[in-house]
Amino acid sequence: MSSKNTGQKKQKPKSRSSIIRTAEKRLAQDPRDPAALLPLSELYYKEQQWEKAFPLLSTLAEILPVHPELDVLQSMLRLGICSIRLGKMPEAIRALSIARRANPESFEANYYLGQSLYKSKEYDKAIPFLKKALSSGKEIPELFEFMGLSLYHGRLFREALPYLKRALDVNPDSREVLFSMADSMNAVGMGDKALKVFIHLRPDPEYGARSCLLAGAIHTFNNQTAQALQDYEIGLKHTEAPLDILTQIRYNMAQIYLRENDMTKALNLLQTIQITVPGYKDVGILISRYQELSKNNTLKTYLMSPQSDFIALCRKIVSVFYARATVKIISIDAKPDITEIQTEIETAKWEDSVVFRFYRNTGSTGELYIRDFHGRIRDLKAGRGICITAGTYSEEAKKYIEGRPIDLVDKNQLLKIFAKV
């Protein structure tokens, strides 16, 4: 048997230590030597030693233009993925954009570029690259999640739903995907299904407060006040939740208590908001208004009582408006915010037909409303009209009544009448 070799011996792969030793020796002489950068960066990349791989891959990226033998797609793809792992999203986007230009059909380039844009909260930009990755037919579970969440954050709720459902099938424990899916369902009119998820998520430390806020809004819309208050009470137990969420919960609760005439609870919530977020919405105005209402039951009846109680109060105001007068009520026309009482008034010195109009508001009543009232007085052939509000009148409205048979009664005058009532 001949000892002569008929072929070349297979070269043994270099050991890890040998790769490192050889590369470091070459880099000491030339820090931009591709023959050293390539194997050493590949070693650290495969070992997922991202901190060590990143500077080597960055240097490779710099020398690509003068070394055409290097693989642009592979080099920039690795640099992009390494940057993502290190949380360096601007570097990742730059590297992966170059990789995608090298091969627009590359699944990896599209997928990781979409991922880096998603993590940079550039959702609109992420969507087309993630769609391109999906078109390749590769089904990576995270791809459905990134796609669904990008569409969700881009407020494309209906489009987001199938991807979020697919992502949830793969990872049913993801609270982020579950909440996003429920919020999307709520946005497209599937409130009943969304509500079940929000109730399920109420105890969650991260998504619980937001789920309580949305569940409370749905229950309020369905006139389920007790359930809404329960949602909000659970939400406020998440004391570490973002302040804007807790503030909105308190504001929504206060609105419910105001509708239920529970001034004490409403004011407590509104005052907490005023302390923690000064100037929030109309909180200052509401506090001022309802503090007064809590001290003046007659004003509270005028503005907030059921229609029957309000009409009863209006009748009393009519009866005491003119001192020592005989009042005969001819008709009452009651609407949600306006009540009109037509009367015949007789005193020792005069008698006339007088129409009283009550505005149930605290704002400024403008000229158009007074013009409308003037037309009503003429239609009824009344001799005079009395317009009453718990607010004020605009300057235009005050000028309009000059020379016309109309008297304007504002809040200050109304409070004096209440004393007589």
Side-chain angles (χ1 to χ4, degrees):
M1 180 175 173
S2 171
S3 60
K4 188 178 179 179
N5 290 330
T6 58
Q8 292 183 338
K9 289 185 178 179
K10 191 175 181 181
Q11 198 173 21
K12 289 183 180 180
K14 289 185 179 181
S15 66
R16 181 181 187 277
S17 58
S18 174
I19 293 171
I20 295 173
R21 186 168 56 252
T22 302
E24 287 181 344
K25 186 183 293 185
R26 294 180 69 107
L27 289 173
Q29 295 176 348
D30 180 4
R32 300 167 72 85
D33 181 355
L37 290 168
L38 196 59
L40 190 57
S41 65
E42 184 174 14
L43 174 71
Y44 289 142
Y45 177 84
K46 289 181 177 178
E47 290 180 348
Q48 298 185 12
Q49 295 197 55
W50 312 117
E51 291 285 358
K52 290 184 177 181
F54 181 77
L56 301 170
L57 290 166
S58 296
T59 305
L60 266 177
E62 292 173 9
I63 66 172
L64 279 173
V66 295
H67 288 277
E69 74 277 8
L70 294 174
D71 188 330
V72 175
L73 176 63
Q74 183 188 73
S75 299
M76 300 312 291
L77 193 56
R78 285 180 175 178
L79 176 58
I81 294 169
C82 187
S83 299
I84 291 174
R85 299 293 184 261
L86 293 174
K88 300 177 184 287
M89 294 307 146
E91 292 88 343
I93 293 169
R94 281 195 297 271
L96 292 163
S97 295
I98 295 171
R100 189 180 183 278
R101 282 200 295 271
N103 182 1
E105 301 301 317
S106 167
F107 169 81
E108 289 80 6
N110 283 293
Y111 169 63
Y112 286 108
L113 180 55
Q115 182 183 146
S116 61
L117 287 164
Y118 167 80
K119 291 184 176 180
S120 298
K121 298 184 179 181
E122 296 187 55
Y123 306 114
D124 291 343
K125 292 181 180 179
I127 290 169
F129 299 113
L130 294 170
K131 279 186 177 178
K132 183 67 174 176
L134 279 164
S135 70
S136 70
K138 292 186 180 181
E139 296 192 357
I140 295 179
E142 292 81 1
L143 179 53
F144 296 105
E145 183 171 328
F146 288 130
M147 187 65 184
L149 292 174
S150 293
L151 291 165
Y152 165 73
H153 288 298
R155 305 189 65 78
L156 299 170
F157 302 114
R158 196 173 297 279
E159 291 180 46
L161 276 171
Y163 296 105
L164 292 170
K165 289 176 181 177
R166 187 73 177 272
L168 200 63
D169 289 340
V170 176
N171 184 12
D173 295 327
S174 173
R175 291 293 182 262
E176 181 181 13
V177 173
L178 184 60
F179 174 84
S180 302
M181 186 176 73
D183 199 18
S184 296
M185 288 192 295
N186 188 38
V188 300
M190 301 165 64
D192 292 342
K193 290 184 178 180
L195 181 60
K196 294 177 182 179
V197 180
F198 290 140
I199 291 173
H200 171 72
L201 286 173
R202 286 187 309 191
D204 187 79
E206 185 173 358
Y207 293 97
R210 291 172 67 189
S211 296
C212 290
L213 174 60
L214 291 166
I218 295 172
H219 277 133
T220 301
F221 180 78
N222 293 332
N223 294 318
Q224 297 172 306
T225 303
Q227 292 92 324
L229 288 172
Q230 183 184 50
D231 295 326
Y232 294 145
E233 285 164 3
I234 295 171
L236 290 179
K237 292 178 182 178
H238 292 280
T239 54
E240 300 300 316
L243 180 59
D244 62 326
I245 300 297
L246 296 176
T247 301
Q248 187 63 51
I249 288 174
R250 291 188 179 103
Y251 185 84
N252 290 2
M253 286 184 79
Q255 295 292 329
I256 291 175
Y257 285 130
L258 289 176
R259 287 196 293 272
E260 294 185 342
N261 291 330
D262 194 333
M263 299 292 176
T264 302
K265 289 181 179 178
L267 283 169
N268 285 340
L269 289 161
L270 292 170
Q271 286 163 349
T272 300
I273 295 172
Q274 188 76 329
I275 292 168
T276 54
V277 189
Y280 184 81
K281 293 187 178 181
D282 58 345
V283 167
I285 296 170
L286 291 174
I287 290 174
S288 176
R289 179 189 304 166
Y290 290 105
Q291 276 181 335
E292 184 176 21
L293 289 179
S294 68
K295 297 173 184 176
N296 190 323
N297 284 329
T298 310
L299 182 59
K300 180 180 174 182
T301 299
Y302 187 93
L303 290 171
M304 301 184 65
S305 68
Q307 186 82 325
S308 58
D309 293 343
F310 174 64
I311 293 172
L313 177 59
C314 292
R315 291 172 65 102
K316 288 180 181 178
I317 292 170
V318 167
S319 69
V320 302
F321 192 84
Y322 292 106
R324 292 183 296 279
T326 301
V327 180
K328 180 180 179 181
I329 294 177
I330 305 301
S331 66
I332 297 176
D333 183 11
K335 295 174 183 175
D337 297 316
I338 301 173
T339 291
E340 252 178 33
I341 300 181
Q342 185 180 5
T343 67
E344 289 182 357
I345 307 291
E346 182 179 346
T347 71
K349 296 181 178 181
W350 59 270
E351 60 181 84
D352 205 347
S353 174
V354 180
V355 180
F356 291 80
R357 175 175 281 192
F358 297 88
Y359 283 106
R360 209 172 184 186
N361 64 356
T362 58
S364 177
T365 300
E367 178 188 347
L368 290 176
Y369 291 95
I370 307 306
R371 282 181 179 274
D372 176 73
F373 184 40
H374 186 231
R376 180 69 171 155
I377 295 168
R378 288 201 306 264
D379 292 343
L380 294 172
K381 296 181 173 55
R384 188 151 205 87
I386 310 296
C387 190
I388 299 173
T389 177
T392 60
Y393 295 95
S394 69
E395 290 303 316
E396 292 79 5
K398 293 175 183 176
K399 289 178 182 177
Y400 178 77
I401 67 167
E402 293 176 3
R404 292 183 171 88
I406 301 175
D407 291 327
L408 301 181
V409 177
D410 62 14
K411 178 184 172 184
N412 291 331
Q413 296 166 284
L414 181 60
L415 292 176
K416 293 176 183 178
I417 296 171
F418 285 163
K420 297 178 184 178
V421 171

